[in-house]
Amino acid sequence: MRITMVGTGYVGLVTGTCFANTGNDVTCLDIDPAKIEMLNRGESPIYEPGLSDLIKRNTKAGRLHFTTDKVAAYGGAEIIFICVGTPPDESGHADLQYVLGAAKDIGTAIEEGPGNTVTARTPKIIVVKSTVPVGTNRRVRDEIARHTSKAFSMASNPEFLKEGDAIHDFTHPDRVVIGADSKQTGDMLRELYEPFVRQGNPIFVMDIPSAEMVKYAANTMLATKISFINEIANLCEAYNADIDEVRRGMCSDKRIGNQFLYPGLGYGGSCFPKDVLACISMGQQVDQPAKLLEAVDQVNQVQRDRFIAKIDKHFGAAPGSDAAGSESKTASLNGKRIAVWGIAFKPGTDDIREAPSITLIQQLIDRGAKVAVFDQVALENCAKVFGADIIYAEDELSALDGADALAICTNWGEFLHPDFDDMKQRMNTPLIFDGRNLYRRESMAEHGFVYYSVGRAPVGMK
Ligand SMILES: NC(=O)c1ccc[n+]([C@@H]2O[C@H](COP(=O)([O-])OP(=O)(O)OC[C@H]3O[C@@H](n4cnc5c(N)ncnc54)[C@H](O)[C@@H]3O)[C@@H](O)[C@H]2O)c1
């Protein structure tokens, strides 16, 4: 099939490359010329394990192309996937300017192009893969129709891949969800996805509003699990219980399961925070307040502030937890050097959008600390936010040189078994604030660290 992916971000680039890898002819379109230049040089603009090799292989085979030329990209396509960003606007609602901008381009290209029927099989199918509020497909259809009188079909195909595991997730999906405006459209998309569900995983074809809703239901459920376990962890701290034991006891109940129930710094990334806000906003628009999700969002905000509050308390700053830092805390970390391990919002990606680390680094800077950071792949993106305000270490150990404390924000596998003796020697003070519960408390006590984690009593306090 001839496919055009609109947007070469984490979703468009991964899914387009995987479609090319099953023999389709794929054109990836982006309005960002720098990204397209990189891709045409054979470089990936994002870090995603395995992606660079797959891009090179499929480009070499002539199945994968990159362009900024809208007319060329849209003109030849049988199926167009809209994969542009849908960030939150000021009120929390999904900002649809990029989706509707792409719809306008598509309508214009269909009108001016060589004709809407590229093959005898079907008119062009426009698929919204971006995560969008229910009803957006209708708006996209209307926007395209404003610019062309030619026929086209519409579909919704929400994407469930996880950054860091994106290729495996896309090529081995738990399920594929397709909302289609006709049986013919649904059948064509089913055919496209069949190579990825050969083990028998389901392809669900449904109406478009339900498909749009599935994505929000799934993401807000996952966000709810994270806020839930964080709330329980906070109660554990208050009542001197240990969240590790509580998790074990709770998660062995098969009805509950053990996925996505790890306490930490709260969820981040480009999806959960904005999707929770968008769902709350969808509720407000129809006078159906999403009260549970409002609480999920609040718990998540508080979780970040609790972490800096622990640091404040340890260093003797006045209690309180506002991100900007009150007058009394402005200089509370003056002269202190704090190392931060992990910037990415999760391991396996260079994505730092809404990452808890970014909030923490800003809070540390606001308090006068000198911050030295290390991340396996996200340092470049971090430098775009903080520039020369912080120190970028070459590896995790050198980040610790002269540090008064270490704060851990991402559970990269490489942080799991560090050389604790070397760490202690490099640090001014053996003090760790672990936002991911990477280490056993007993082991930290044995190594002589003062160790704070989430939902567990601190270790090594006099
Ligand atoms: N990142 C994820 O893990 C993930 C997973 C599932 C779903 N989603 C959803 O997929 C969508 C895309 O997310 P992403 O993380 O890939 O976004 P992204 O910001 O990484 O990429 C979006 C790309 O679209 C391009 N773009 C914007 N307008 C365009 C236009 N008119 N024509 C061509 N290109 C245009 C941008 O330049 C950018 O490169 C969002 O709705 C997101 O919620 C993301």
Side-chain angles (χ1 to χ4, degrees), residues 274-308:
K274 82 169 171 60
D275 293 348
V276 169
L277 291 181
C279 228
I280 292 170
S281 175
M282 273 166 55
Q284 284 162 350
Q285 287 187 344
V286 291
D287 204 17
Q288 289 284 336
K291 291 183 183 166
L292 180 61
L293 296 182
E294 285 169 14
V296 166
D297 177 51
Q298 280 161 19
V299 169
N300 199 55
Q301 300 296 331
V302 168
Q303 201 63 14
R304 294 178 182 209
D305 291 339
R306 283 179 64 93
F307 196 60
I308 188 72

mmCIF file of all heavy atoms in Angstrom, residues 274-308:
data_model
loop_
_atom_site.group_PDB
_atom_site.id
_atom_site.type_symbol
_atom_site.label_atom_id
_atom_site.label_comp_id
_atom_site.label_asym_id
_atom_site.label_seq_id
_atom_site.Cartn_x
_atom_site.Cartn_y
_atom_site.Cartn_z
ATOM 1 N N LYS A 274 -1.084 15.077 29.561
ATOM 2 C CA LYS A 274 -1.996 15.809 28.671
ATOM 3 C C LYS A 274 -3.292 15.038 28.438
ATOM 4 O O LYS A 274 -4.358 15.643 28.305
ATOM 5 C CB LYS A 274 -1.300 16.150 27.346
ATOM 6 C CG LYS A 274 -1.281 15.050 26.318
ATOM 7 C CD LYS A 274 -0.813 15.574 24.974
ATOM 8 C CE LYS A 274 -0.574 14.432 23.996
ATOM 9 N NZ LYS A 274 -1.744 13.612 23.706
ATOM 10 N N ASP A 275 -3.228 13.721 28.422
ATOM 11 C CA ASP A 275 -4.448 12.953 28.171
ATOM 12 C C ASP A 275 -5.391 13.005 29.371
ATOM 13 O O ASP A 275 -6.615 13.042 29.206
ATOM 14 C CB ASP A 275 -4.108 11.511 27.783
ATOM 15 C CG ASP A 275 -3.404 11.445 26.423
ATOM 16 O OD1 ASP A 275 -3.391 12.479 25.714
ATOM 17 O OD2 ASP A 275 -2.854 10.387 26.064
ATOM 18 N N VAL A 276 -4.823 13.024 30.576
ATOM 19 C CA VAL A 276 -5.682 13.179 31.767
ATOM 20 C C VAL A 276 -6.365 14.548 31.714
ATOM 21 O O VAL A 276 -7.585 14.663 31.897
ATOM 22 C CB VAL A 276 -4.853 13.018 33.072
ATOM 23 C CG1 VAL A 276 -5.667 13.446 34.291
ATOM 24 C CG2 VAL A 276 -4.377 11.575 33.226
ATOM 25 N N LEU A 277 -5.586 15.594 31.397
ATOM 26 C CA LEU A 277 -6.176 16.946 31.325
ATOM 27 C C LEU A 277 -7.231 17.021 30.226
ATOM 28 O O LEU A 277 -8.290 17.627 30.405
ATOM 29 C CB LEU A 277 -5.083 17.993 31.052
ATOM 30 C CG LEU A 277 -4.088 18.247 32.186
ATOM 31 C CD1 LEU A 277 -3.089 19.330 31.782
ATOM 32 C CD2 LEU A 277 -4.821 18.668 33.459
ATOM 33 N N ALA A 278 -6.949 16.398 29.092
ATOM 34 C CA ALA A 278 -7.903 16.453 27.971
ATOM 35 C C ALA A 278 -9.203 15.745 28.346
ATOM 36 O O ALA A 278 -10.298 16.200 27.996
ATOM 37 C CB ALA A 278 -7.287 15.816 26.723
ATOM 38 N N CYS A 279 -9.101 14.649 29.084
ATOM 39 C CA CYS A 279 -10.303 13.913 29.478
ATOM 40 C C CYS A 279 -11.113 14.734 30.490
ATOM 41 O O CYS A 279 -12.347 14.775 30.418
ATOM 42 C CB CYS A 279 -9.875 12.584 30.103
ATOM 43 S SG CYS A 279 -10.779 11.199 29.453
ATOM 44 N N ILE A 280 -10.407 15.402 31.414
ATOM 45 C CA ILE A 280 -11.096 16.277 32.375
ATOM 46 C C ILE A 280 -11.834 17.365 31.596
ATOM 47 O O ILE A 280 -13.006 17.664 31.835
ATOM 48 C CB ILE A 280 -10.082 16.915 33.359
ATOM 49 C CG1 ILE A 280 -9.485 15.834 34.265
ATOM 50 C CG2 ILE A 280 -10.712 18.033 34.163
ATOM 51 C CD1 ILE A 280 -8.299 16.299 35.104
ATOM 52 N N SER A 281 -11.139 17.921 30.622
ATOM 53 C CA SER A 281 -11.717 18.994 29.813
ATOM 54 C C SER A 281 -12.915 18.495 28.984
ATOM 55 O O SER A 281 -13.930 19.183 28.851
ATOM 56 C CB SER A 281 -10.600 19.548 28.927
ATOM 57 O OG SER A 281 -11.072 20.474 28.055
ATOM 58 N N MET A 282 -12.813 17.269 28.455
ATOM 59 C CA MET A 282 -13.952 16.694 27.722
ATOM 60 C C MET A 282 -15.176 16.580 28.631
ATOM 61 O O MET A 282 -16.305 16.848 28.223
ATOM 62 C CB MET A 282 -13.588 15.294 27.200
ATOM 63 C CG MET A 282 -12.904 15.295 25.847
ATOM 64 S SD MET A 282 -12.136 13.694 25.468
ATOM 65 C CE MET A 282 -13.467 12.572 25.658
ATOM 66 N N GLY A 283 -14.936 16.194 29.899
ATOM 67 C CA GLY A 283 -16.033 16.081 30.864
ATOM 68 C C GLY A 283 -16.672 17.427 31.130
ATOM 69 O O GLY A 283 -17.901 17.562 31.147
ATOM 70 N N GLN A 284 -15.813 18.454 31.306
ATOM 71 C CA GLN A 284 -16.345 19.803 31.597
ATOM 72 C C GLN A 284 -17.242 20.283 30.455
ATOM 73 O O GLN A 284 -18.265 20.908 30.670
ATOM 74 C CB GLN A 284 -15.189 20.790 31.789
ATOM 75 C CG GLN A 284 -14.498 20.639 33.132
ATOM 76 C CD GLN A 284 -13.126 21.285 33.166
ATOM 77 O OE1 GLN A 284 -12.589 21.702 32.136
ATOM 78 N NE2 GLN A 284 -12.537 21.350 34.347
ATOM 79 N N GLN A 285 -16.841 19.942 29.229
ATOM 80 C CA GLN A 285 -17.601 20.451 28.081
ATOM 81 C C GLN A 285 -19.013 19.890 27.991
ATOM 82 O O GLN A 285 -19.878 20.469 27.357
ATOM 83 C CB GLN A 285 -16.837 20.154 26.796
ATOM 84 C CG GLN A 285 -15.628 21.064 26.665
ATOM 85 C CD GLN A 285 -14.935 20.927 25.345
ATOM 86 O OE1 GLN A 285 -15.148 19.965 24.613
ATOM 87 N NE2 GLN A 285 -14.088 21.888 25.029
ATOM 88 N N VAL A 286 -19.231 18.720 28.588
ATOM 89 C CA VAL A 286 -20.574 18.130 28.513
ATOM 90 C C VAL A 286 -21.218 18.021 29.900
ATOM 91 O O VAL A 286 -22.135 17.239 30.111
ATOM 92 C CB VAL A 286 -20.529 16.739 27.829
ATOM 93 C CG1 VAL A 286 -20.191 16.868 26.362
ATOM 94 C CG2 VAL A 286 -19.538 15.809 28.527
ATOM 95 N N ASP A 287 -20.684 18.841 30.840
ATOM 96 C CA ASP A 287 -21.228 18.883 32.183
ATOM 97 C C ASP A 287 -21.207 17.511 32.879
ATOM 98 O O ASP A 287 -22.141 17.122 33.559
ATOM 99 C CB ASP A 287 -22.669 19.439 32.143
ATOM 100 C CG ASP A 287 -23.055 20.054 33.482
ATOM 101 O OD1 ASP A 287 -22.135 20.329 34.272
ATOM 102 O OD2 ASP A 287 -24.264 20.208 33.732
ATOM 103 N N GLN A 288 -20.140 16.775 32.637
ATOM 104 C CA GLN A 288 -19.921 15.466 33.283
ATOM 105 C C GLN A 288 -18.541 15.515 33.937
ATOM 106 O O GLN A 288 -17.581 14.983 33.390
ATOM 107 C CB GLN A 288 -19.913 14.347 32.232
ATOM 108 C CG GLN A 288 -21.210 14.007 31.590
ATOM 109 C CD GLN A 288 -22.095 13.188 32.511
ATOM 110 O OE1 GLN A 288 -21.598 12.517 33.408
ATOM 111 N NE2 GLN A 288 -23.391 13.265 32.304
ATOM 112 N N PRO A 289 -18.412 16.176 35.078
ATOM 113 C CA PRO A 289 -17.079 16.345 35.666
ATOM 114 C C PRO A 289 -16.377 15.000 35.887
ATOM 115 O O PRO A 289 -16.974 14.074 36.427
ATOM 116 C CB PRO A 289 -17.355 17.046 37.001
ATOM 117 C CG PRO A 289 -18.761 17.512 36.942
ATOM 118 C CD PRO A 289 -19.487 16.724 35.903
ATOM 119 N N ALA A 290 -15.128 14.919 35.431
ATOM 120 C CA ALA A 290 -14.353 13.688 35.612
ATOM 121 C C ALA A 290 -13.627 13.785 36.941
ATOM 122 O O ALA A 290 -12.419 14.036 37.000
ATOM 123 C CB ALA A 290 -13.384 13.520 34.446
ATOM 124 N N LYS A 291 -14.382 13.581 38.038
ATOM 125 C CA LYS A 291 -13.860 13.873 39.381
ATOM 126 C C LYS A 291 -12.672 12.985 39.740
ATOM 127 O O LYS A 291 -11.713 13.432 40.356
ATOM 128 C CB LYS A 291 -14.971 13.686 40.419
ATOM 129 C CG LYS A 291 -16.028 14.741 40.305
ATOM 130 C CD LYS A 291 -17.054 14.569 41.386
ATOM 131 C CE LYS A 291 -18.157 15.598 41.193
ATOM 132 N NZ LYS A 291 -19.328 15.309 41.980
ATOM 133 N N LEU A 292 -12.754 11.732 39.355
ATOM 134 C CA LEU A 292 -11.653 10.812 39.669
ATOM 135 C C LEU A 292 -10.374 11.281 38.972
ATOM 136 O O LEU A 292 -9.293 11.309 39.573
ATOM 137 C CB LEU A 292 -12.032 9.394 39.216
ATOM 138 C CG LEU A 292 -11.005 8.304 39.462
ATOM 139 C CD1 LEU A 292 -10.715 8.161 40.950
ATOM 140 C CD2 LEU A 292 -11.495 6.972 38.905
ATOM 141 N N LEU A 293 -10.508 11.700 37.724
ATOM 142 C CA LEU A 293 -9.312 12.109 36.972
ATOM 143 C C LEU A 293 -8.766 13.441 37.489
ATOM 144 O O LEU A 293 -7.558 13.678 37.434
ATOM 145 C CB LEU A 293 -9.618 12.186 35.475
ATOM 146 C CG LEU A 293 -9.989 10.827 34.867
ATOM 147 C CD1 LEU A 293 -10.243 10.953 33.382
ATOM 148 C CD2 LEU A 293 -8.891 9.795 35.131
ATOM 149 N N GLU A 294 -9.661 14.292 37.991
ATOM 150 C CA GLU A 294 -9.164 15.533 38.608
ATOM 151 C C GLU A 294 -8.265 15.187 39.797
ATOM 152 O O GLU A 294 -7.196 15.771 39.990
ATOM 153 C CB GLU A 294 -10.345 16.409 39.068
ATOM 154 C CG GLU A 294 -11.034 17.103 37.892
ATOM 155 C CD GLU A 294 -12.351 17.763 38.273
ATOM 156 O OE1 GLU A 294 -12.624 17.922 39.480
ATOM 157 O OE2 GLU A 294 -13.109 18.115 37.346
ATOM 158 N N ALA A 295 -8.686 14.179 40.568
ATOM 159 C CA ALA A 295 -7.880 13.762 41.720
ATOM 160 C C ALA A 295 -6.574 13.112 41.256
ATOM 161 O O ALA A 295 -5.520 13.331 41.854
ATOM 162 C CB ALA A 295 -8.686 12.789 42.583
ATOM 163 N N VAL A 296 -6.653 12.334 40.189
ATOM 164 C CA VAL A 296 -5.451 11.677 39.649
ATOM 165 C C VAL A 296 -4.407 12.734 39.287
ATOM 166 O O VAL A 296 -3.223 12.615 39.611
ATOM 167 C CB VAL A 296 -5.824 10.826 38.404
ATOM 168 C CG1 VAL A 296 -4.585 10.419 37.620
ATOM 169 C CG2 VAL A 296 -6.612 9.592 38.826
ATOM 170 N N ASP A 297 -4.866 13.796 38.645
ATOM 171 C CA ASP A 297 -3.961 14.885 38.250
ATOM 172 C C ASP A 297 -3.379 15.576 39.483
ATOM 173 O O ASP A 297 -2.172 15.826 39.558
ATOM 174 C CB ASP A 297 -4.745 15.868 37.370
ATOM 175 C CG ASP A 297 -3.898 17.067 36.978
ATOM 176 O OD1 ASP A 297 -2.785 16.855 36.485
ATOM 177 O OD2 ASP A 297 -4.358 18.214 37.181
ATOM 178 N N GLN A 298 -4.241 15.854 40.464
ATOM 179 C CA GLN A 298 -3.755 16.553 41.676
ATOM 180 C C GLN A 298 -2.723 15.713 42.423
ATOM 181 O O GLN A 298 -1.682 16.213 42.850
ATOM 182 C CB GLN A 298 -4.923 16.851 42.621
ATOM 183 C CG GLN A 298 -5.721 18.076 42.213
ATOM 184 C CD GLN A 298 -7.100 18.095 42.858
ATOM 185 O OE1 GLN A 298 -7.342 17.419 43.850
ATOM 186 N NE2 GLN A 298 -8.008 18.845 42.260
ATOM 187 N N VAL A 299 -3.024 14.421 42.574
ATOM 188 C CA VAL A 299 -2.073 13.538 43.285
ATOM 189 C C VAL A 299 -0.734 13.562 42.538
ATOM 190 O O VAL A 299 0.338 13.598 43.153
ATOM 191 C CB VAL A 299 -2.630 12.091 43.360
ATOM 192 C CG1 VAL A 299 -1.560 11.110 43.854
ATOM 193 C CG2 VAL A 299 -3.845 12.034 44.273
ATOM 194 N N ASN A 300 -0.795 13.574 41.231
ATOM 195 C CA ASN A 300 0.443 13.566 40.445
ATOM 196 C C ASN A 300 1.261 14.840 40.649
ATOM 197 O O ASN A 300 2.484 14.792 40.759
ATOM 198 C CB ASN A 300 0.106 13.387 38.962
ATOM 199 C CG ASN A 300 1.308 12.926 38.182
ATOM 200 O OD1 ASN A 300 1.913 11.910 38.523
ATOM 201 N ND2 ASN A 300 1.681 13.665 37.148
ATOM 202 N N GLN A 301 0.571 15.980 40.719
ATOM 203 C CA GLN A 301 1.286 17.247 40.968
ATOM 204 C C GLN A 301 1.953 17.213 42.338
ATOM 205 O O GLN A 301 3.119 17.572 42.494
ATOM 206 C CB GLN A 301 0.313 18.445 40.937
ATOM 207 C CG GLN A 301 -0.430 18.646 39.635
ATOM 208 C CD GLN A 301 0.499 18.966 38.493
ATOM 209 O OE1 GLN A 301 1.556 19.545 38.704
ATOM 210 N NE2 GLN A 301 0.147 18.543 37.283
ATOM 211 N N VAL A 302 1.168 16.768 43.322
ATOM 212 C CA VAL A 302 1.652 16.752 44.704
ATOM 213 C C VAL A 302 2.875 15.842 44.829
ATOM 214 O O VAL A 302 3.814 16.125 45.575
ATOM 215 C CB VAL A 302 0.517 16.294 45.655
ATOM 216 C CG1 VAL A 302 1.052 15.977 47.043
ATOM 217 C CG2 VAL A 302 -0.557 17.369 45.730
ATOM 218 N N GLN A 303 2.874 14.750 44.059
ATOM 219 C CA GLN A 303 3.966 13.779 44.178
ATOM 220 C C GLN A 303 5.317 14.420 43.871
ATOM 221 O O GLN A 303 6.315 14.124 44.492
ATOM 222 C CB GLN A 303 3.691 12.597 43.242
ATOM 223 C CG GLN A 303 4.436 11.339 43.617
ATOM 224 C CD GLN A 303 4.037 10.792 44.984
ATOM 225 O OE1 GLN A 303 3.020 11.193 45.567
ATOM 226 N NE2 GLN A 303 4.853 9.906 45.521
ATOM 227 N N ARG A 304 5.326 15.305 42.877
ATOM 228 C CA ARG A 304 6.588 15.995 42.554
ATOM 229 C C ARG A 304 7.007 16.905 43.697
ATOM 230 O O ARG A 304 8.178 16.979 44.056
ATOM 231 C CB ARG A 304 6.412 16.841 41.293
ATOM 232 C CG ARG A 304 6.157 15.983 40.083
ATOM 233 C CD ARG A 304 5.923 16.817 38.843
ATOM 234 N NE ARG A 304 5.641 15.886 37.752
ATOM 235 C CZ ARG A 304 5.913 16.110 36.492
ATOM 236 N NH1 ARG A 304 6.466 17.241 36.138
ATOM 237 N NH2 ARG A 304 5.633 15.219 35.574
ATOM 238 N N ASP A 305 6.037 17.625 44.235
ATOM 239 C CA ASP A 305 6.368 18.574 45.298
ATOM 240 C C ASP A 305 6.822 17.864 46.570
ATOM 241 O O ASP A 305 7.638 18.392 47.324
ATOM 242 C CB ASP A 305 5.155 19.474 45.586
ATOM 243 C CG ASP A 305 4.891 20.426 44.420
ATOM 244 O OD1 ASP A 305 5.831 20.666 43.633
ATOM 245 O OD2 ASP A 305 3.759 20.907 44.279
ATOM 246 N N ARG A 306 6.292 16.655 46.801
ATOM 247 C CA ARG A 306 6.722 15.903 47.994
ATOM 248 C C ARG A 306 8.206 15.568 47.927
ATOM 249 O O ARG A 306 8.877 15.494 48.943
ATOM 250 C CB ARG A 306 5.928 14.591 48.112
ATOM 251 C CG ARG A 306 4.521 14.768 48.636
ATOM 252 C CD ARG A 306 3.834 13.416 48.697
ATOM 253 N NE ARG A 306 4.480 12.521 49.640
ATOM 254 C CZ ARG A 306 4.126 12.383 50.908
ATOM 255 N NH1 ARG A 306 3.122 13.077 51.386
ATOM 256 N NH2 ARG A 306 4.763 11.541 51.691
ATOM 257 N N PHE A 307 8.713 15.351 46.723
ATOM 258 C CA PHE A 307 10.120 14.961 46.578
ATOM 259 C C PHE A 307 11.036 16.117 46.966
ATOM 260 O O PHE A 307 11.951 15.960 47.773
ATOM 261 C CB PHE A 307 10.366 14.521 45.127
ATOM 262 C CG PHE A 307 11.648 13.745 44.933
ATOM 263 C CD1 PHE A 307 11.872 12.559 45.607
ATOM 264 C CD2 PHE A 307 12.627 14.192 44.056
ATOM 265 C CE1 PHE A 307 13.052 11.831 45.424
ATOM 266 C CE2 PHE A 307 13.800 13.479 43.864
ATOM 267 C CZ PHE A 307 14.018 12.297 44.559
ATOM 268 N N ILE A 308 10.756 17.303 46.422
ATOM 269 C CA ILE A 308 11.601 18.453 46.777
ATOM 270 C C ILE A 308 11.395 18.804 48.258
ATOM 271 O O ILE A 308 12.328 19.266 48.920
ATOM 272 C CB ILE A 308 11.343 19.675 45.848
ATOM 273 C CG1 ILE A 308 12.369 20.789 46.105
ATOM 274 C CG2 ILE A 308 9.943 20.225 46.006
ATOM 275 C CD1 ILE A 308 13.752 20.503 45.624
#
